[in-house]
Amino acid sequence: MATGVVIVALAFTLIALLIPVQKFGGRSAAAATVQGADDDGAGIQSTAFGPLTPQDRDFVRKVKLAGLWEMPAGRQALQRSNRPAIRTAGEHLVEGHTELDRRVTEVAQALGMELPSQPSAQQQEWLAQMDGAQGQQYERLFVQLLRRAHGKVFALVAQIRAQTRNSMVRQLATDANTTVLDHITVLEASGLVDFDGLADSPTGTPSAPPPASSPVSRPTK
């Protein structure tokens, strides 16, 4: 009986030692995952350019999605605003995403990925908000929507650039970093960014609070 008690005690000791290790490992794995990334369920794929993770693929798709709504937004700014700073921002959006779109298409082809062909429902809502705004309200909404979106993307690009083991994705992240920083700079140069509004934004919701008199609603996910 004494031997049995010793065995049971040793078993409980082993379990107690293993549980913290497993929990710690789980936290470490979660910390290594890019925040806000969608898992497509395809796992880690082997490519000639290094492992391709679900987070890598999600990033490539998000680069494409960014261009699908930011290029139309830039063209609209060129058509609807006479303010030089807004027109400059529109030009940079169109030019930057035209080149980035070319790059992301090359990357997707090299990695055997399919890319989205239209903006997400959330991005279409942002474009609809701008369609419904006029004059100064439109200019402020344009700047705030785009600045907040780029702020969220900027953090994602940094995570991917630091963590990816795929050379194609790494170079795309480097290119995207340059483009996003340029866009943030020209949007802020307009003088219309509400930085307090940026700080109050829920994670992943780059929308702008319109003026109190505006009927334009604030989008949420």
Side-chain angles (χ1 to χ4, degrees), residues 39-45 54 57:
D39 189 343
D40 57 11
I44 299 176
Q45 300 172 351
R57 293 190 295 273

Side-chain angles (χ1 to χ4, degrees), residues 7-143:
I7 292 173
V8 171
L10 288 173
F12 277 112
T13 301
L14 180 61
I15 291 172
L17 288 171
L18 285 175
I19 288 176
V21 170
Q22 290 173 346
K23 286 185 176 180
F24 177 78
R27 285 196 298 268
S28 297
T33 301
V34 176
Q35 294 182 357
D38 295 326
D39 189 343
D40 57 11
I44 299 176
Q45 300 172 351
S46 178
T47 77
F49 309 97
L52 184 68
T53 67
Q55 291 76 30
D56 292 333
R57 293 190 295 273
D58 180 65
F59 169 70
V60 174
R61 295 187 186 104
K62 283 180 176 175
V63 171
K64 177 65 177 182
L65 281 169
L68 288 174
W69 86 279
E70 291 177 25
M71 277 196 283
R75 295 188 191 102
Q76 185 185 68
L78 290 170
Q79 295 170 356
R80 296 184 56 181
S81 178
N82 292 321
R83 188 191 293 250
I86 300 296
R87 294 184 61 82
T88 296
E91 290 173 354
H92 280 240
L93 286 171
V94 173
E95 293 173 1
H97 279 289
T98 296
E99 175 59 21
L100 204 54
D101 191 69
R102 182 189 66 80
R103 286 284 298 116
V104 76
T105 299
E106 292 177 349
V107 170
Q109 290 175 347
L111 298 176
M113 289 182 54
E114 291 187 6
L115 294 175
S117 58
Q118 62 180 6
S120 68
Q122 179 71 90
Q123 292 167 338
Q124 292 178 38
E125 185 178 345
W126 298 331
L127 289 170
Q129 283 195 48
M130 288 188 286
D131 286 341
Q134 300 293 330
Q136 292 184 359
Q137 181 199 11
Y138 165 77
E139 293 175 343
R140 291 183 179 278
L141 188 60
F142 165 81
V143 169

